[in-house]
Every structure is written in C-alpha cells, then in structure tokens.
Amino acid sequence: MVQHGSPHEAIQIFAMANLLVEHGLDQVEDEYGLDLRRGHLRTIESDAIYYPQIEQVIRAEAARMAPHYEVFYSLEKTIRGLIADVLTEAEVDNWWEEYVPEEVRKGVGRRRKRELDSGTTPRSAESLDFTTFGELGEIIKTNWDLFGGLFSSVKAVENVMAKLNNLRGPIAHCSPLAEDEVLRLRLSVRDWFRLME
C-alpha cells in the first residue's frame, strides 16, 4: 500500500500529470494542425486509463520497437501494392484466380472465414490484404514472367524475402530486436529496393 506523501505516490502523480499534459498537447496539435516536434507518439484515448498500469520497462521497449514495426508495415503494404499493380496490368479479368497459387488462395480463404466468424470488422475487402509475407514472395516467384522485368534475380528475391520474413517474427510477435537484427532489418529493406534498380 502506498503511503500518502510517499516518493512512490509523488512519482505516480508526476506520471499522471505528465500524461495529462501530453494529452492536452495532442489536442492542441490536432485542433490547429500543428506538429510541435515533441517526438511524442500519440496513444489512443483509453491509454490514459490503462497504459500507465503497464510497467515502464515494457512501455520503453514498445517505444523502441515502434519504428521497426512502422518500417515493416510500410514495406509489406508497398509489396502488396506492387503485386496488385503488376497483376492488374496483366489485364486478366480475375487475376486473383489466375495468378495467385491455389495454396495461397486457400490460406487466405481460411483467414477470411476465421475473421468473419469472429464477428470483428474485416481488415479489408481485398483478398491480397489477407496474405502472409511469405505468401507474397510465393506470388512473385510463381509469376516470375510478370515480375522478372522488375527484379534482377528470382533467387535474390527469395533470399531477401526470406531474410525479411525471419525479421518479421519478432516484430509481429512483440519481441525486441537485437541490435544486430535492427541493422539486418535496415539492410534487408535496402536490399529489397536495390533489387528493383
């Protein structure tokens, strides 16, 4: 039990006051379209109630991992967009059925059904958004005749996608990346874009 006026209580009050000030600054930024360059990542409204209950060490780890998640999220969305663009340009009425391997389509079907059965809001109306990272690589390899003009080598695409897929695990499953793996992520992202030079 925390005693009134104890150092622990003072720290809790300081943390809550800081959280309230940050929330107020978020509102000012939103209302006036400002970026006060606080280096502060906004949290959802309910965080004011629940987030402070999470240990500081975990919150600090999450803040360190956030940029890596952002990089991977952006890269995966970029790869999905590239695949959709290339397959759409193939001018086939139903490229999903024509160009996506059957095993990938089955996996997507299972994930879509599981999401539908859960009663949650579907993540997307597009089947491609239900593919795993590994499946994106399979779509590219299976359709190398369409993608070969964009990349230098199918083996290089396989290697880079495999590295990225290995790095995706800790990011997607809330584990910290070791310093070497952070460097490997940066290099692998560069490798991906270098494949298209």
Side-chain angles (χ1 to χ4, degrees), residues 23 38 51 65 69 83 90 94 104 108 145 158 184 194:
H23 179 70
R38 297 175 291 141
Y51 196 61
M65 285 299 295
Y69 173 81
I83 289 171
N94 188 355
V104 173
V108 165
D145 57 321
E158 286 177 341
R184 200 175 323 280
R194 196 175 294 119

PDB file of all heavy atoms in Angstrom, residues 23 38 51 65 69 83 90 94 104 108 145 158 184 194:
ATOM      1  N   HIS A  23      -1.553  14.697 -23.304  1.00  0.00           N
ATOM      2  CA  HIS A  23      -2.876  14.594 -23.933  1.00  0.00           C
ATOM      3  C   HIS A  23      -3.372  15.978 -24.355  1.00  0.00           C
ATOM      4  O   HIS A  23      -3.897  16.144 -25.456  1.00  0.00           O
ATOM      5  CB  HIS A  23      -3.864  13.939 -22.967  1.00  0.00           C
ATOM      6  CG  HIS A  23      -5.242  13.811 -23.524  1.00  0.00           C
ATOM      7  ND1 HIS A  23      -5.551  12.938 -24.540  1.00  0.00           N
ATOM      8  CD2 HIS A  23      -6.385  14.476 -23.223  1.00  0.00           C
ATOM      9  CE1 HIS A  23      -6.833  13.061 -24.838  1.00  0.00           C
ATOM     10  NE2 HIS A  23      -7.360  13.980 -24.059  1.00  0.00           N
ATOM     11  N   ARG A  38       7.556  17.186 -30.588  1.00  0.00           N
ATOM     12  CA  ARG A  38       7.867  16.698 -29.243  1.00  0.00           C
ATOM     13  C   ARG A  38       8.479  15.310 -29.272  1.00  0.00           C
ATOM     14  O   ARG A  38       8.903  14.793 -28.247  1.00  0.00           O
ATOM     15  CB  ARG A  38       6.590  16.647 -28.390  1.00  0.00           C
ATOM     16  CG  ARG A  38       5.967  18.002 -28.187  1.00  0.00           C
ATOM     17  CD  ARG A  38       4.647  17.913 -27.448  1.00  0.00           C
ATOM     18  NE  ARG A  38       3.631  17.287 -28.287  1.00  0.00           N
ATOM     19  CZ  ARG A  38       2.726  16.436 -27.834  1.00  0.00           C
ATOM     20  NH1 ARG A  38       2.691  16.098 -26.584  1.00  0.00           N
ATOM     21  NH2 ARG A  38       1.842  15.926 -28.652  1.00  0.00           N
ATOM     22  N   TYR A  51      -2.863   2.452 -19.985  1.00  0.00           N
ATOM     23  CA  TYR A  51      -1.446   2.405 -20.349  1.00  0.00           C
ATOM     24  C   TYR A  51      -0.516   2.641 -19.164  1.00  0.00           C
ATOM     25  O   TYR A  51       0.499   1.959 -19.032  1.00  0.00           O
ATOM     26  CB  TYR A  51      -1.181   3.380 -21.491  1.00  0.00           C
ATOM     27  CG  TYR A  51       0.132   3.145 -22.206  1.00  0.00           C
ATOM     28  CD1 TYR A  51       0.395   1.946 -22.857  1.00  0.00           C
ATOM     29  CD2 TYR A  51       1.114   4.124 -22.231  1.00  0.00           C
ATOM     30  CE1 TYR A  51       1.591   1.732 -23.519  1.00  0.00           C
ATOM     31  CE2 TYR A  51       2.309   3.918 -22.893  1.00  0.00           C
ATOM     32  CZ  TYR A  51       2.536   2.721 -23.534  1.00  0.00           C
ATOM     33  OH  TYR A  51       3.720   2.506 -24.181  1.00  0.00           O
ATOM     34  N   MET A  65      10.606  -0.407 -30.224  1.00  0.00           N
ATOM     35  CA  MET A  65      10.202  -1.313 -31.309  1.00  0.00           C
ATOM     36  C   MET A  65       9.273  -0.644 -32.321  1.00  0.00           C
ATOM     37  O   MET A  65       9.177  -1.095 -33.463  1.00  0.00           O
ATOM     38  CB  MET A  65       9.510  -2.555 -30.727  1.00  0.00           C
ATOM     39  CG  MET A  65      10.471  -3.534 -30.086  1.00  0.00           C
ATOM     40  SD  MET A  65      11.686  -4.197 -31.252  1.00  0.00           S
ATOM     41  CE  MET A  65      10.630  -5.113 -32.360  1.00  0.00           C
ATOM     42  N   TYR A  69       8.367  -1.648 -36.409  1.00  0.00           N
ATOM     43  CA  TYR A  69       7.032  -2.052 -36.862  1.00  0.00           C
ATOM     44  C   TYR A  69       6.586  -1.157 -38.019  1.00  0.00           C
ATOM     45  O   TYR A  69       6.071  -1.634 -39.027  1.00  0.00           O
ATOM     46  CB  TYR A  69       6.025  -1.979 -35.714  1.00  0.00           C
ATOM     47  CG  TYR A  69       4.614  -2.228 -36.173  1.00  0.00           C
ATOM     48  CD1 TYR A  69       4.152  -3.531 -36.378  1.00  0.00           C
ATOM     49  CD2 TYR A  69       3.753  -1.171 -36.456  1.00  0.00           C
ATOM     50  CE1 TYR A  69       2.867  -3.765 -36.837  1.00  0.00           C
ATOM     51  CE2 TYR A  69       2.477  -1.401 -36.917  1.00  0.00           C
ATOM     52  CZ  TYR A  69       2.032  -2.693 -37.096  1.00  0.00           C
ATOM     53  OH  TYR A  69       0.757  -2.923 -37.559  1.00  0.00           O
ATOM     54  N   ILE A  83       2.479  -5.875 -56.093  1.00  0.00           N
ATOM     55  CA  ILE A  83       1.891  -7.100 -56.636  1.00  0.00           C
ATOM     56  C   ILE A  83       0.544  -6.810 -57.278  1.00  0.00           C
ATOM     57  O   ILE A  83       0.267  -7.247 -58.402  1.00  0.00           O
ATOM     58  CB  ILE A  83       1.763  -8.179 -55.530  1.00  0.00           C
ATOM     59  CG1 ILE A  83       3.158  -8.691 -55.159  1.00  0.00           C
ATOM     60  CG2 ILE A  83       0.849  -9.322 -55.970  1.00  0.00           C
ATOM     61  CD1 ILE A  83       3.193  -9.591 -53.940  1.00  0.00           C
ATOM     62  N   ALA A  90      -1.737  -6.995 -65.930  1.00  0.00           N
ATOM     63  CA  ALA A  90      -1.736  -8.183 -66.786  1.00  0.00           C
ATOM     64  C   ALA A  90      -3.039  -8.293 -67.575  1.00  0.00           C
ATOM     65  O   ALA A  90      -3.140  -9.102 -68.483  1.00  0.00           O
ATOM     66  CB  ALA A  90      -1.521  -9.440 -65.952  1.00  0.00           C
ATOM     67  N   ASN A  94      -9.853 -11.826 -63.735  1.00  0.00           N
ATOM     68  CA  ASN A  94      -9.783 -12.197 -62.331  1.00  0.00           C
ATOM     69  C   ASN A  94      -8.365 -12.660 -61.998  1.00  0.00           C
ATOM     70  O   ASN A  94      -8.091 -13.846 -61.924  1.00  0.00           O
ATOM     71  CB  ASN A  94     -10.808 -13.291 -62.023  1.00  0.00           C
ATOM     72  CG  ASN A  94     -10.910 -13.571 -60.538  1.00  0.00           C
ATOM     73  OD1 ASN A  94     -10.167 -13.022 -59.727  1.00  0.00           O
ATOM     74  ND2 ASN A  94     -11.815 -14.454 -60.178  1.00  0.00           N
ATOM     75  N   VAL A 104      -2.083 -20.440 -51.617  1.00  0.00           N
ATOM     76  CA  VAL A 104      -2.202 -19.080 -51.071  1.00  0.00           C
ATOM     77  C   VAL A 104      -3.681 -18.702 -50.985  1.00  0.00           C
ATOM     78  O   VAL A 104      -4.137 -18.181 -49.967  1.00  0.00           O
ATOM     79  CB  VAL A 104      -1.416 -18.066 -51.933  1.00  0.00           C
ATOM     80  CG1 VAL A 104      -1.680 -16.636 -51.470  1.00  0.00           C
ATOM     81  CG2 VAL A 104       0.082 -18.383 -51.891  1.00  0.00           C
ATOM     82  N   VAL A 108      -5.744 -17.777 -47.566  1.00  0.00           N
ATOM     83  CA  VAL A 108      -6.481 -16.512 -47.456  1.00  0.00           C
ATOM     84  C   VAL A 108      -7.950 -16.797 -47.143  1.00  0.00           C
ATOM     85  O   VAL A 108      -8.559 -16.136 -46.293  1.00  0.00           O
ATOM     86  CB  VAL A 108      -6.331 -15.677 -48.747  1.00  0.00           C
ATOM     87  CG1 VAL A 108      -7.356 -14.554 -48.803  1.00  0.00           C
ATOM     88  CG2 VAL A 108      -4.918 -15.107 -48.833  1.00  0.00           C
ATOM     89  N   ASP A 145       7.370 -14.506 -64.790  1.00  0.00           N
ATOM     90  CA  ASP A 145       7.285 -13.950 -66.142  1.00  0.00           C
ATOM     91  C   ASP A 145       6.736 -12.522 -66.112  1.00  0.00           C
ATOM     92  O   ASP A 145       7.077 -11.709 -66.965  1.00  0.00           O
ATOM     93  CB  ASP A 145       6.430 -14.836 -67.050  1.00  0.00           C
ATOM     94  CG  ASP A 145       5.025 -15.063 -66.509  1.00  0.00           C
ATOM     95  OD1 ASP A 145       4.872 -15.231 -65.270  1.00  0.00           O
ATOM     96  OD2 ASP A 145       4.074 -15.076 -67.313  1.00  0.00           O
ATOM     97  N   GLU A 158      14.005 -14.331 -53.509  1.00  0.00           N
ATOM     98  CA  GLU A 158      13.792 -15.368 -52.496  1.00  0.00           C
ATOM     99  C   GLU A 158      14.627 -15.100 -51.255  1.00  0.00           C
ATOM    100  O   GLU A 158      14.134 -15.198 -50.125  1.00  0.00           O
ATOM    101  CB  GLU A 158      14.156 -16.750 -53.054  1.00  0.00           C
ATOM    102  CG  GLU A 158      13.170 -17.321 -54.020  1.00  0.00           C
ATOM    103  CD  GLU A 158      13.634 -18.657 -54.593  1.00  0.00           C
ATOM    104  OE1 GLU A 158      14.852 -18.979 -54.535  1.00  0.00           O
ATOM    105  OE2 GLU A 158      12.769 -19.389 -55.108  1.00  0.00           O
ATOM    106  N   ARG A 184      20.246  -5.577 -39.539  1.00  0.00           N
ATOM    107  CA  ARG A 184      19.865  -6.506 -40.600  1.00  0.00           C
ATOM    108  C   ARG A 184      18.541  -6.075 -41.244  1.00  0.00           C
ATOM    109  O   ARG A 184      18.365  -6.183 -42.451  1.00  0.00           O
ATOM    110  CB  ARG A 184      19.752  -7.921 -40.029  1.00  0.00           C
ATOM    111  CG  ARG A 184      19.846  -9.008 -41.055  1.00  0.00           C
ATOM    112  CD  ARG A 184      19.858 -10.407 -40.448  1.00  0.00           C
ATOM    113  NE  ARG A 184      20.562 -10.592 -39.197  1.00  0.00           N
ATOM    114  CZ  ARG A 184      21.880 -10.739 -39.078  1.00  0.00           C
ATOM    115  NH1 ARG A 184      22.639 -10.730 -40.149  1.00  0.00           N
ATOM    116  NH2 ARG A 184      22.436 -10.913 -37.897  1.00  0.00           N
ATOM    117  N   ARG A 194      16.944  -2.282 -53.710  1.00  0.00           N
ATOM    118  CA  ARG A 194      18.059  -2.435 -54.634  1.00  0.00           C
ATOM    119  C   ARG A 194      17.740  -3.488 -55.703  1.00  0.00           C
ATOM    120  O   ARG A 194      18.218  -3.418 -56.823  1.00  0.00           O
ATOM    121  CB  ARG A 194      19.319  -2.805 -53.867  1.00  0.00           C
ATOM    122  CG  ARG A 194      20.596  -2.596 -54.680  1.00  0.00           C
ATOM    123  CD  ARG A 194      21.853  -2.850 -53.853  1.00  0.00           C
ATOM    124  NE  ARG A 194      21.999  -1.870 -52.797  1.00  0.00           N
ATOM    125  CZ  ARG A 194      22.024  -2.155 -51.489  1.00  0.00           C
ATOM    126  NH1 ARG A 194      21.908  -3.395 -51.072  1.00  0.00           N
ATOM    127  NH2 ARG A 194      22.167  -1.217 -50.584  1.00  0.00           N
TER     128      ARG A 194
END
